[in-house]
């Protein structure tokens, strides 16, 4: 297999860190850990966007009622 693009820094680091097999349970735990990390990162970025745009609970209610969904 020939790679078309170079690996990212995170891919390289993960390859180095996990050069051995993990048990199925450890692999599942790792997936959950990574998913939680990425979810928290996305949540933090959304919180920042929320603050920057001055959105409120009323903004969300408006979106939910389809009166003022963001474009």
């Amino acid at each position: 297999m020939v790679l078309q693009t170079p690996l990212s820094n995170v891919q390289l680091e993960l390859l180095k860190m996990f050069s051995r097999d993990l048990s199925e349970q450890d692999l599942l735990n790792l997936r959950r850990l990574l998913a939680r990390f990425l979810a928290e990162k996305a949540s933090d970025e959304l919180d920042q966007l929320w603050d920057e745009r001055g959105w409120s609970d009323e903004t969300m209610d408006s979106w939910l009622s389809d009166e003022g969904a963001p474009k």
Side-chain angles (χ1 to χ4, degrees):
M1 170 175 22
V2 177
L3 294 176
Q4 298 294 329
T5 58
L7 297 174
S8 71
N9 62 345
V10 72
Q11 290 169 320
L12 289 171
E13 190 62 30
L14 287 171
L15 284 172
K16 285 188 271 184
M17 286 176 48
F18 298 107
S19 59
R20 63 179 180 84
D21 285 339
L22 295 177
S23 69
E24 287 301 314
Q25 186 61 48
D26 284 346
L27 186 57
L28 178 61
N29 289 337
L30 179 60
R31 286 180 180 155
R32 288 178 176 158
L33 179 82
L34 290 171
R36 189 170 34 252
F37 168 77
L38 294 172
E40 287 175 10
K41 187 173 172 85
S43 179
D44 291 345
E45 289 179 21
L46 284 171
D47 286 345
Q48 181 180 353
L49 183 62
W50 193 269
D51 291 340
E52 287 172 1
R53 303 254 173 118
W55 293 337
S56 65
D57 289 341
E58 289 77 24
T59 306
M60 183 62 70
D61 290 340
S62 173
W63 294 346
L64 291 173
S65 68
D66 209 19
E67 295 171 5
K71 306 212 176 0

